[in-house]
Amino acid sequence: MTARVLHNTPAEIARAVAALRGGELVAIPTETVYGLAGLALDPAALAQIFAAKDRPTFDPLIAHVAPSPRGRRLEALAEAQLVDGARLTPLARQTAQRLVDALWPGPLTLVLPRARAVPDLCTAGLDSVAVRMPAHPMAQQILKQLGQPLAAPSANRFGRISPTTAAHVLAELGERIAWIVDGGPCAVGVESTVVAVQPDGRCALLRPGGVTADVIAAVSQHPVMITEISPLALPSPGLLASHYAPTQPLRLLPASVQDLGEKARAALQPGDVVLVVTGAGEATRALGCKPVLLSPDGSDVTAAQRLFACLREMDTATGTLYAEPVTRTDGLWPAIADRLTRASAPRT
Ligand code: TXA
Ligand code: MG
């Protein structure tokens, strides 16, 4: 099977919708990363998603829903047979309502009590379900025309670098799926932030992403619980240590090349490839290494947009791969630091 790439025309969107309705998988663009979509309430479609990605079934999926007006968004989740609204405490409901009104559509995933209709494969047997409303206009059109939710994990093979262009999806899954919708490069570039809404109204941050913890705290009007979670406990399997990884090992440097001590700097060999977080990479070039510039303008937004494409570019090189550490903790930097730590984690 070689995937056919569909574009933004009414006929090709209708083709994608028909394929999904027929139980097939379609890779779709979202504002974060491309997703491998299938009907969220159809166990056979879900099984295909896990098979195409080589994804273990203990890793639950996010259900994506069509846009609905402010004030109707939480109810729409119950009507779509995803969320059991009766199991939300008043405080949890208030927080969820604030978040969906302010931040949907957008890169925020909420973990909420699951409705009975959601197949176990979608939730990995958990009593909760992860839901988000994507902002990408083509994803929205597809969801609206389809009229039912789509499960969509990132459209990469399990553990590998997430795709932010249709070409990345083609390289990852082109031989395994029939359809890819090309919506251009993803605007955000890192996955959605995943939070679990607690009975007391606070949010537990399960995965840093496109919406910052500060924004979630401000909107929910509660402090965010940032838990150091053991990968063994697996409350959110996206937290597995090795993830987002290039095929070649990637090593995280203890400091930027500029700030590395003499000895550490001497370990870099000419021809090695270094992901330079900000700046033009002069210090790296001076060592005869190849800099790959993550954020030439120094902004977190640029860094997030470019992150996965940079990792893919590095993976085609022949030298040893290094990444500078992210030291800033504001904006999208924690999400970027998280992906780089996992991309460079030891593989088991
Ligand atoms: O931006 C995104 O969220 C992208 C695009 C395609 O929407 N999707 C994505 O899906 O990143 P995936 O499958 O790669 O990551 C889903 C994350 C996993 O870390 C999973 O553990 C977590 O969501 N998750 C899903 N259901 C959960 C649940 N019931 N409880 C806790 N975590 C859950
Ligand atoms: Mg993923």
Side-chain angles (χ1 to χ4, degrees), residues 5 70 77 80 114 135 147 153 193 204 206 219 235 258 283 309 313:
V5 179
R70 244 176 104 91
L77 299 181
R114 144 207 196 173
T193 303
L206 299 182
V219 170
Q258 186 86 45
E313 179 192 333

Side-chain angles (χ1 to χ4, degrees), residues 80-214:
Q81 295 194 291
L82 290 174
V83 169
D84 181 359
R87 286 199 287 137
L88 280 171
T89 66
L91 285 171
R93 174 181 296 279
Q94 184 183 53
T95 289
Q97 190 75 61
R98 286 173 177 160
L99 292 171
V100 302
D101 281 348
L103 299 172
W104 278 7
L108 174 69
T109 294
L110 298 183
V111 173
L112 297 167
R114 144 207 196 173
R116 243 177 305 177
V118 184
D120 276 338
L121 260 184
C122 185
T123 65
L126 296 171
D127 203 24
S128 55
V129 62
V131 203
R132 93 174 187 96
M133 184 183 287
H136 194 292
M138 290 174 79
Q140 294 191 343
Q141 274 189 56
I142 290 168
L143 284 162
K144 262 196 211 162
Q145 288 183 30
L146 188 63
Q148 31 176 335
L150 286 172
S154 51
N156 50 276
R157 281 170 281 143
F158 186 68
R160 296 252 312 129
I161 306 170
S162 304
T164 51
T165 67
H168 295 165
V169 181
L170 201 57
E172 284 286 321
L173 298 174
E175 298 306 315
R176 300 184 180 192
I177 62 175
W179 308 100
I180 300 172
V181 176
D182 187 348
C186 299
V188 177
V190 291
E191 290 83 353
S192 60
T193 303
V194 180
V195 298
V197 181
Q198 308 293 303
D200 68 1
R202 289 185 297 167
C203 288
L205 181 71
L206 299 182
R207 177 177 73 181
V211 175
T212 68
D214 287 350

